[in-house]
Amino acid sequence: MIELNADIGEGCDDASLMPYLARVSIACGGHAGDAVSMTAALRLAAEHGVAAGAHPSYPDRAQFGRQALAASEDEIAAWVMQQTEVLAEQAARLGLRLAHVKPHGALYDVAARDAGVARAIARAVAALDPALALVGLSGSQLIAAGQGAGLAVLHEAFADRRYQSDGQLVSRETAGALIVDSRAASEQARALAHGVPVGTAGGGAIRVKADTICLHSDTPNALNIARAVHAALNHG
């Protein structure tokens, strides 16, 4: 059975989502998050038996990490390592260990396309802890970089986002980029889980390899989407 994951620690109602999740990525200071929210998110994950990982981003709280910043590969590697280390230290204090790293927002999108940025992220994760898995957009440069760095990788697909014909995500700036209807999201998740082509913004369809399916805690109607997607993945 394919797993459902969400990005948490971003000021949303994480507790309500947890019963439907198998994996969470926790904001660790770049776009959101502080010691209190990180500790709360880690405890929540532990209580529900959910795998927890780091969700590093461009250090840009004003734009919530959703705008790319000009930066060298070394700077990107340093940001990823620093933010992941902060969360790893919080986890260690609770007797927990991180399972993965998944970039957030614009950093995730850039790493999907830019091989240099992808390699910088993979290099940082491997240097920090080679046992960490790297989560990235299915079939993207980040997946290739993780494999090249000897990391376990998880091809990620999305229940609540529209796809372009090349497998990239439709920009959040585009009308209709988010899937906020729970039935539509569950239908897309079911298709992804079974290797069935999903519709694209241009009217075509593509197959997307999926090891883990994401929904966003800040997507409108997130809780109903989580319930519907969980039911689709478990019964469908």
Side-chain angles (χ1 to χ4, degrees), residues 147-164:
Q147 291 170 329
L151 297 168
V153 297
L154 290 172
H155 291 257
E156 184 175 47
F158 289 81
D160 59 359
R161 294 289 300 275
R162 297 286 183 198
Y163 281 91
Q164 301 179 56

Side-chain angles (χ1 to χ4, degrees), residues 8 23 60-61 69-70 87 89 108 111 145 158 169 173-174 178 181 208 215 227 232-234:
I8 70 168
R23 183 181 302 272
D60 182 10
R61 286 175 175 255
L69 302 181
L87 185 66
E89 289 168 2
Y108 182 99
F158 289 81
L169 299 175
E173 306 301 316
T174 304
L178 292 180
D181 178 76
V208 180
L215 64 88
R227 288 177 177 139
L233 296 180
N234 282 273

Side-chain angles (χ1 to χ4, degrees), residues 106-115 117-118 137 139-143 168:
L107 184 58
Y108 182 99
D109 293 338
V110 172
R113 304 184 303 269
D114 187 314
V117 170
L137 184 67
S140 70
Q141 292 289 344
L142 187 57
I143 293 293
Q168 299 289 323

Side-chain angles (χ1 to χ4, degrees), residues 77-161:
W79 289 335
V80 169
M81 185 171 287
Q82 177 194 25
Q83 292 174 43
T84 303
E85 279 184 320
V86 168
L87 185 66
E89 289 168 2
Q90 297 284 350
R93 291 191 185 100
L94 299 173
L96 305 173
R97 189 182 180 96
L98 300 184
H100 68 273
V101 173
K102 172 190 165 180
H104 163 81
L107 184 58
Y108 182 99
D109 293 338
V110 172
R113 304 184 303 269
D114 187 314
V117 170
R119 284 194 299 269
I121 294 170
R123 170 164 49 92
V125 174
L128 187 61
D129 182 354
L132 289 167
L134 185 60
V135 179
L137 184 67
S138 180
S140 70
Q141 292 289 344
L142 187 57
I143 293 293
Q147 291 170 329
L151 297 168
V153 297
L154 290 172
H155 291 257
E156 184 175 47
F158 289 81
D160 59 359
R161 294 289 300 275

